[in-house]
């Protein structure tokens, strides 16, 4: 991968994780007003329709019948549903904190099954990021389980399950795109699977869609922003995974924590309350900056070393 490609892929990953961080915050806000399954069904339906129109020239119909593409869709469904439920039982910050465990699963699975070499500094970056996430988890007490509460535990457990599915999704999508499928088909199939699943869940749980008939101007803007974020974040995520080494993409998950902390405070009123939490955020942000800088410097050196051989 040359330097220009690295910068491009890193930018895609940053945009993707920023969008997905905003997705969690808005989900937490909108789920309290609208039927969750119905809301996501509409959001992903919008994403699917826009995707078909915008990416129609890249669609290969024969790819849509491949088992590998459908398998990716099912993994995306499990990841999305577990995360959606987690958001309703714990804070947006906690969802992202437990999402930071995904790099461990991604790196481990990639190393074992794909024999993928870890970028230099990945282990240290994962360790420090995890330490920072641990510090941000909040207040400590004599009986932390009692202080957290059963609902929070359920939410964090589901967030952890979602992180595992995220790791699998990153690896499978990356591998599938490299060997046979293009990113457009993978994205559209994932989105179609999510649309079908959420419409079905909304029907089975007998959700009331009446709130959608009583939206004001502010809610229309929020819903529009939410739907756009679903499309942009989802689409760019597939392309980012196809371009970025899976370990690099996973370490950038820590960026979502920063996004959620900033917008979670403004939109949801979630805020840090202790010195330890601020220290945790500092560690996450610092290690992310160091890791990106280190990888870019290594690539620049490699490019410079190759130039004499290209003459």
């Amino acid at each position: 991968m040359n330097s220009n490609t690295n910068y491009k892929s890193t930018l895609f990953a940053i945009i993707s994780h920023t969008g997905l961080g905003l997705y969690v915050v808005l989900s937490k806000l909108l789920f309290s007003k609208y039927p969750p399954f119905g809301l996501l069904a509409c959001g992903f339906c919008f994403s699917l329709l826009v995707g078909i129109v915008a990416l129609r020239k890249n669609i290969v119909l024969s790819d849509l019948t491949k088992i590998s593409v459908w398998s990716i869709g099912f993994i995306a469904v499990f990841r999305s549903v577990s995360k959606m439920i987690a958001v309703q039982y714990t804070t947006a910050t906690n969802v992202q904190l437990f999402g930071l465990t995904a790099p461990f699963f991604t790196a481990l699975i990639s190393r074992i099954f794909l024999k993928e070499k870890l970028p230099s500094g990945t282990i240290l970056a994962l360790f420090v990021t995890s330490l920072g996430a641990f510090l941000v988890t909040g207040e400590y007490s004599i009986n932390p389980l009692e202080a957290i509460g059963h609902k929070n535990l359920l939410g964090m457990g589901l967030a952890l399950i979602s992180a595992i599915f995220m790791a699998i999704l990153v690896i499978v999508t990356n591998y599938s795109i490299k060997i046979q499928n293009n990113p457009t088909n993978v994205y559209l199939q994932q989105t179609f699977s999510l649309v079908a699943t959420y419409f079905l869940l909304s029907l089975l749980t007998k959700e009331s869609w009446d709130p959608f008939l009583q939206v004001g101007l502010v809610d229309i803007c929020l819903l529009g922003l939410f739907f756009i974020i679903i499309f942009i974040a989802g689409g760019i995520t597939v392309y980012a995974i196809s371009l970025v080494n899976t370990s690099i993409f996973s370490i950038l998950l820590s960026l979502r924590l920063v996004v959620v902390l900033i917008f979670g405070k403004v939109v949801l009123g979630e805020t840090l309350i202790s010195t330890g939490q601020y220290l945790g955020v500092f560690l996450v942000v610092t290690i992310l900056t160091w890791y990106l800088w280190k990888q870019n410097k290594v690539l620049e050196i490699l490019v410079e070393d190759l130039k004499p051989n290209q003459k």
Side-chain angles (χ1 to χ4, degrees):
M1 182 184 292
N2 60 42
S3 183
N4 289 333
T5 302
N6 179 68
Y7 289 128
K8 179 181 178 181
S9 59
T10 300
L11 177 62
F12 277 141
I14 291 174
I15 294 174
S16 170
H17 290 310
T18 300
L20 290 170
L22 290 172
Y23 168 82
V24 173
V25 173
L26 289 179
S27 293
K28 183 74 175 179
L29 175 66
L30 294 174
F31 285 171
S32 63
K33 299 181 179 181
Y34 301 98
F37 293 133
L39 177 64
L40 291 177
C42 292
F44 284 111
C45 186
F46 169 82
S47 181
L48 178 63
L49 295 176
V50 174
I52 291 174
V53 174
L55 305 171
R56 61 186 182 280
K57 294 182 179 179
N58 298 325
I59 298 175
V60 180
L61 295 178
S62 60
D63 273 0
L64 298 178
T65 62
K66 294 179 179 179
I67 296 178
S68 59
V69 178
W70 283 97
S71 298
I72 295 173
F74 286 124
I75 296 171
V77 166
F78 289 128
R79 183 198 69 82
S80 180
V81 172
S82 56
K83 188 172 186 176
M84 183 274 288
I85 300 176
V87 168
Q88 299 179 71
Y89 284 96
T90 188
T91 64
T93 301
N94 282 342
V95 171
Q96 287 307 326
L97 285 173
F98 280 84
L100 293 179
T101 62
F104 289 102
F105 298 111
T106 303
L108 179 61
I109 296 172
S110 296
R111 185 72 184 94
I112 294 174
F113 294 100
L114 302 180
K115 308 300 180 184
E116 187 174 285
K117 183 179 179 181
L118 295 178
S120 175
T122 296
I123 298 299
L124 176 61
L126 288 172
F127 174 77
V128 178
T129 299
S130 299
L131 176 61
F134 176 77
L135 292 173
V136 180
T137 50
E139 296 291 271
Y140 302 95
S141 66
I142 298 177
N143 190 345
L145 292 181
E146 182 179 343
I148 291 173
H150 295 299
K151 286 187 177 180
N152 259 328
L153 283 175
L154 175 60
M156 289 186 286
L158 289 170
L160 180 63
I161 292 174
S162 178
I164 295 174
F165 280 118
M166 178 62 190
I168 298 172
L169 182 63
V170 168
I171 295 169
V172 174
T173 299
N174 180 281
Y175 182 70
S176 179
I177 290 173
K178 284 182 178 179
I179 63 173
Q180 57 181 328
N181 304 312
N182 68 55
T184 296
N185 291 330
V186 172
Y187 167 68
L188 293 178
Q189 208 294 316
Q190 282 186 24
T191 308
F192 174 79
S193 297
L194 291 167
V195 171
T197 298
Y198 281 123
F199 269 122
L200 179 60
L201 289 174
S202 181
L203 179 64
L204 292 175
T205 57
K206 298 180 180 179
E207 284 185 331
S208 173
W209 285 47
D210 290 342
F212 288 113
L213 303 177
Q214 305 169 5
V215 296
L217 180 60
V218 174
D219 284 344
I220 290 176
C221 294
L222 285 175
L223 289 171
L225 177 62
F226 184 63
F227 292 168
I228 291 172
I229 286 176
I230 287 178
F231 170 69
I232 293 178
I236 292 180
T237 296
V238 174
Y239 280 93
I241 292 174
S242 69
L243 291 172
V244 187
N245 174 282
T246 53
S247 297
I248 295 177
F249 183 83
S250 295
I251 195 66
L252 287 174
L253 282 171
S254 58
L255 178 60
R256 297 188 198 181
L257 173 61
V258 179
V259 174
V260 169
L261 286 172
I262 294 173
F263 289 93
K265 181 177 181 179
V266 175
V267 178
L268 303 174
E270 296 180 5
T271 184
L272 303 178
I273 59 176
S274 69
T275 303
Q277 289 178 315
Y278 282 104
L279 175 60
V281 173
F282 173 78
L283 288 175
V284 171
V285 174
T286 301
I287 198 63
L288 173 63
T289 304
W290 169 81
Y291 184 80
L292 289 173
W293 175 83
K294 188 174 186 298
Q295 295 307 316
N296 286 333
K297 293 299 292 184
V298 170
L299 285 167
E300 287 174 6
I301 293 172
L302 290 175
V303 170
E304 290 298 322
D305 289 342
L306 287 173
K307 284 182 178 180
N309 299 326
Q310 295 173 350
K311 294 181 180 180

